Amino acid sequence: MDKTLILSTILALASFSSIAFAYDPRPLQDFCVADLISTVRINGLPCLDPATVKADDFFFSGLAQPGNTSNPAGAAVTPVGVSQIPGLNTLGLAIARLDYVEGGFFPPHYHPRGSEIHTVLEGSMEVGFVTSAPSFKFYSKVLEKGDVFVVPVGLVHYQRNVGAGKTVSIATFNSQNPGNSVIPNALFGSTPDIDSDYLAKSFALDKETVERLQALF
């Protein structure tokens, strides 16, 4: 990773931190390192006693390693959230490394609690999103190394590798828990199943096709 890309990633994080409070609660202390084993359930995670906090609670090592892309989509996510860095708790930030083999993709999905900035570190990828009703306008862009693209909060979007060879990008979120609802999995892989007659009518498909999709997911 060259210095230009490191700087662009840092700037993306800094920019998102300034608007993060629009989505996550504003912290009332310098930090709130997450107590990952507490059974208390709140909006976020409870804090460790600051006297027990260590530098490692603000640290993660691993983004230099590629994720496992041996799956049908040919893509992988290496998340860096509160589970990986407890010190992110209440700060309204999360990032992830995204790896794609040639032709790899992430299917249509949305993040209900956070906007997303994509920064390409290697390769070439297409990012696209669709606005909400009534316009359903489609925006897309092919990104090259060093390019940045913003996906607004809650909008359905996708990413795919459109270049020769692998692609690596960093996704930055202005929420410590942006959520991820993958459209095909949500509709055809729910537990229990959504009524297949209803899905067939909604997507103008025959019932047998819907049931095959439900079995697949």
Side-chain angles (χ1 to χ4, degrees):
M1 191 186 305
D2 61 36
K3 292 181 179 179
T4 300
L5 291 177
I6 292 173
L7 177 60
S8 65
T9 302
I10 292 172
L11 289 175
L13 284 167
S15 298
F16 260 29
S17 67
S18 66
I19 60 173
F21 301 144
Y23 301 103
D24 284 2
R26 185 179 180 90
L28 300 177
Q29 59 281 313
D30 289 340
F31 56 78
C32 173
V33 173
D35 183 347
L36 299 178
I37 62 174
S38 173
T39 59
V40 175
R41 293 292 178 264
I42 58 174
N43 190 24
L45 293 168
C47 309
L48 288 174
D49 182 343
T52 68
V53 169
K54 307 176 297 296
D56 281 348
D57 292 319
F58 303 92
F59 172 80
F60 173 80
S61 178
L63 284 189
Q65 302 302 317
N68 182 7
T69 54
S70 299
N71 56 68
V77 179
T78 303
V80 184
V82 174
S83 296
Q84 292 74 34
I85 304 180
L88 280 174
N89 192 36
T90 75
L91 298 185
L93 288 171
I95 64 171
R97 171 178 170 142
L98 309 179
D99 289 275
Y100 313 73
V101 299
E102 187 172 334
F105 65 93
F106 288 100
H109 61 284
Y110 67 93
H111 306 290
R113 294 180 293 274
S115 299
E116 182 177 10
I117 287 182
H118 289 279
T119 305
V120 177
L121 305 183
E122 179 180 352
S124 176
M125 75 178 201
E126 181 186 41
V127 183
F129 68 82
V130 179
T131 62
S132 57
S135 62
F136 297 113
K137 188 169 182 179
F138 173 54
Y139 296 88
S140 69
K141 191 77 174 176
V142 173
L143 310 182
E144 307 293 343
K145 180 179 178 180
D147 290 345
V148 176
F149 191 83
V150 176
V151 177
V153 60
L155 296 186
V156 174
H157 61 284
Y158 70 91
Q159 302 102 248
R160 62 174 179 151
N161 182 358
V162 294
K166 68 178 183 179
T167 291
V168 181
S169 66
I170 294 291
T172 308
F173 301 92
N174 64 340
S175 171
Q176 75 176 52
N177 184 22
N180 184 29
S181 185
V182 182
I183 305 300
N185 299 68
L187 293 176
F188 299 108
S190 65
T191 304
D193 287 343
I194 299 173
D195 181 77
S196 57
D197 283 318
Y198 165 73
L199 288 177
K201 292 176 182 177
S202 297
F203 288 95
L205 298 171
D206 59 83
K207 183 177 179 180
E208 290 73 20
T209 298
V210 170
E211 290 176 344
R212 285 198 299 271
L213 287 169
Q214 288 177 318
L216 176 64
F217 284 97

